[in-house]
C-alpha cells in the first residue's frame, strides 16, 4: 500500500509555515463588547461591523479556547503518521472536534489546519484519504461562511484545484460538489482563485459526454454570469495559453459560447461571450 508523504514537524523543519502566537482581540473590539455588556443587551444584541471584529469577539469565548486546545492536539498527531490509515483517523478526529464546536464560525490556527489538509491531498495517497479530506473541507467551509472563505482563499485553496487531474472516479463528483457549493457561488469574491478553479473545471470537461463534462460546463457558465467577466475571460485565455493539457477543452468551451459571425454588442467587455445572465 502507498505510504504517506514524510510529515515534517514545525519544530524541526525550516520550511514549515510557523504558527503565529495567539493574538488578543483589538482594543476597539474589546471596548465594543464591554459597551454591549454594560448596556445589558448581551454580546449578540449588536453585530460587529467587520469580520475582524466578529472574530475578535469569538476569540474571547471560553469555548473557543477549548476548541483551540483540542484542535492543536489533533494537528500535532499528524507528525507521527506512519501509513495512510493514520491520516484518515486523524482527519476523522478533526471532524469530530469541528462538529463539537459547530456554533463557532471561526477556525483556530487556520494556517496549520490548511497545511495539514493540503498534505492529505497528495496525489500518491489513496482515494479514501482524499475523500475524508474533502469531507473536512466541507465542514470548514459550511461553518465559516462565504465571506470568511473569500477572505481566506489563499489558505484553503492550496491543492484542491490540482487534485482533479489525479482524482479517482469516487473523488471527482465530491470535488465538483465542493466547487459548486462553495466556490462558484462566491461571485466577485472568487477572482483570486479563478485561474485554478477554471483550470480544474476545464480538466473536468475532458470526459466528453459524461456527467462531469456537463457539470463543469454549467459551473463555468455560472462563473461567467456571476464573476467579473474580464477576470473570467482572462482565466480562460490564460489556461489556453499556458496549459497544453486543457487547451482543447478551453477551445471547445469558447467555441460553444462565442456566437458564430456575431459582432460584439456595444459596451460588451466579454468579447461576445454568449452566456445568459438571466438564467
Amino acid at each position: 500500500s502507498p505510504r504517506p508523504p514524510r510529515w515534517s514537524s514545525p519544530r524541526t523543519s525550516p520550511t514549515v509555515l510557523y504558527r503565529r502566537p495567539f493574538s488578543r482581540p483589538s482594543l476597539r473590539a474589546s471596548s465594543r463588547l464591554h459597551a454591549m455588556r454594560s448596556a445589558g443587551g448581551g454580546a449578540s444584541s449588536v453585530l460587529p461591523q467587520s469580520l475582524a471584529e466578529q472574530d475578535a469577539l469569538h476569540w474571547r469565548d471560553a469555548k473557543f479556547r477549548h476548541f483551540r486546545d483540542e484542535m492543536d492536539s489533533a494537528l500535532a498527531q499528524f507528525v507521527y503518521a506512519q501509513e495512510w490509515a493514520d491520516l484518515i483517523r486523524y482527519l476523522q478526529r478533526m471532524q469530530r472536534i469541528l462538529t463539537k464546536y459547530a456554533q463557532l464560525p471561526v477556525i483556530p490556527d487556520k494556517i496549520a489546519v490548511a497545511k495539514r489538509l493540503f498534505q492529505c491531498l497528495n496525489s500518491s495517497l489513496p482515494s479514501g484519504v482524499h475523500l475524508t479530506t474533502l469531507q473536512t473541507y466541507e465542514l470548514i467551509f459550511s461553518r465559516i461562511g462565504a465571506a470568511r472563505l473569500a477572505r481566506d482563499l489563499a489558505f484553503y485553496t492550496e491543492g484542491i484545484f490540482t487534485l482533479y487531474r489525479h482524482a479517482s472516479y469516487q473523488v471527482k463528483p465530491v470535488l465538483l460538489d465542493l466547487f459548486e457549493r462553495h466556490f462558484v457561488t462566491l461571485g466577485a469574491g472568487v477572482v483570486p482563485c479563478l485561474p485554478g478553479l477554471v483550470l480544474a473545471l476545464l480538466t473536468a470537461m475532458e470526459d466528453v459526454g459524461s456527467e462531469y463534462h456537463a457539470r463543469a460546463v454549467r459551473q463555468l457558465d455560472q462563473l461567467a454570469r456571476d464573476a467579473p467577466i474580464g477576470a473570467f475571460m482572462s482565466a480562460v485565455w490564460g489556461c489556453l495559453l499556458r496549459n497544453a493539457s486543457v487547451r482543447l477543452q478551453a477551445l471547445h468551451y469558447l467555441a460553444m459560447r462565442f456566437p458564430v459571425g456575431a459582432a460584439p454588442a456595444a459596451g460588451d467587455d466579454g468579447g461576445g461571450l454568449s452566456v445568459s445572465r438571466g438564467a
Side-chain angles (χ1 to χ4, degrees):
S1 62
R3 298 182 64 84
R6 190 183 183 92
W7 302 101
S8 57
S9 171
R11 297 183 178 178
T12 59
S13 174
T15 61
V16 168
L17 290 172
Y18 284 90
R19 182 181 127 187
R20 292 184 299 175
F22 178 69
S23 58
R24 298 183 63 84
S26 65
L27 178 61
R28 181 183 177 189
S30 301
S31 61
R32 286 173 59 84
L33 181 63
H34 177 72
M36 287 187 291
R37 287 178 175 171
S38 300
S44 61
S45 61
V46 179
L47 291 177
Q49 295 179 348
S50 67
L51 285 178
E53 290 180 343
Q54 293 181 40
D55 291 350
L57 293 178
H58 289 298
W59 293 341
R60 294 179 62 91
D61 194 334
K63 292 182 179 179
F64 181 83
R65 291 193 288 272
H66 294 300
F67 183 21
R68 183 193 61 201
D69 293 341
E70 291 188 35
M71 186 62 73
D72 285 346
S73 177
L75 291 172
Q77 287 187 311
F78 283 84
V79 180
Y80 307 105
Q82 298 295 322
E83 55 185 16
W84 60 265
D86 295 335
L87 300 179
I88 293 180
R89 188 167 63 253
Y90 301 156
L91 287 168
Q92 289 173 342
R93 181 186 176 188
M94 189 184 299
Q95 291 175 12
R96 290 193 296 269
I97 295 172
L98 290 169
T99 304
K100 179 180 178 181
Y101 297 96
Q103 71 276 16
L104 296 173
V106 290
I107 303 297
D109 204 354
K110 57 191 173 186
I111 296 178
V113 171
K115 171 193 168 184
R116 292 308 183 191
L117 294 178
F118 162 66
Q119 290 174 325
C120 290
L121 295 179
N122 190 294
S123 59
S124 65
L125 294 171
S127 60
V129 178
H130 295 162
L131 285 172
T132 311
T133 306
L134 294 179
Q135 292 168 3
T136 309
Y137 274 118
E138 176 67 34
L139 282 175
I140 292 175
F141 295 163
S142 298
R143 71 184 295 156
I144 66 177
R148 287 185 177 86
L149 176 58
R151 181 192 63 185
D152 298 333
L153 281 175
F155 304 129
Y156 293 122
T157 56
E158 193 71 29
I160 289 183
F161 301 136
T162 55
L163 175 65
Y164 193 91
R165 177 159 295 279
H166 311 286
S168 66
Y169 282 104
Q170 293 84 9
V171 175
K172 286 181 178 180
V174 179
L175 198 52
L176 288 175
D177 287 341
L178 196 71
F179 295 162
E180 186 171 7
R181 280 195 294 268
H182 300 290
F183 292 101
V184 177
T185 57
L186 285 178
V190 79
V191 169
C193 70
L194 260 182
L197 179 57
V198 169
L199 177 61
L201 293 175
L202 290 175
T203 304
M205 287 181 61
E206 207 170 30
D207 302 320
V208 180
S210 69
E211 175 194 357
Y212 307 141
H213 180 277
R215 294 183 63 183
V217 171
R218 286 198 302 271
Q219 293 185 39
L220 286 169
D221 288 346
Q222 185 174 348
L223 286 172
R225 290 192 300 268
D226 299 340
I229 190 63
F232 174 75
M233 292 305 298
S234 176
V236 174
W237 284 102
C239 291
L240 180 66
L241 177 66
R242 301 183 185 92
N243 296 274
S245 60
V246 298
R247 195 162 290 157
L248 181 61
Q249 296 95 293
L251 288 171
H252 178 54
Y253 180 76
L254 292 173
M256 287 192 303
R257 292 301 177 250
F258 271 103
V260 178
D268 182 12
D269 61 348
L273 189 69
S274 179
V275 177
S276 172
R277 290 180 179 267

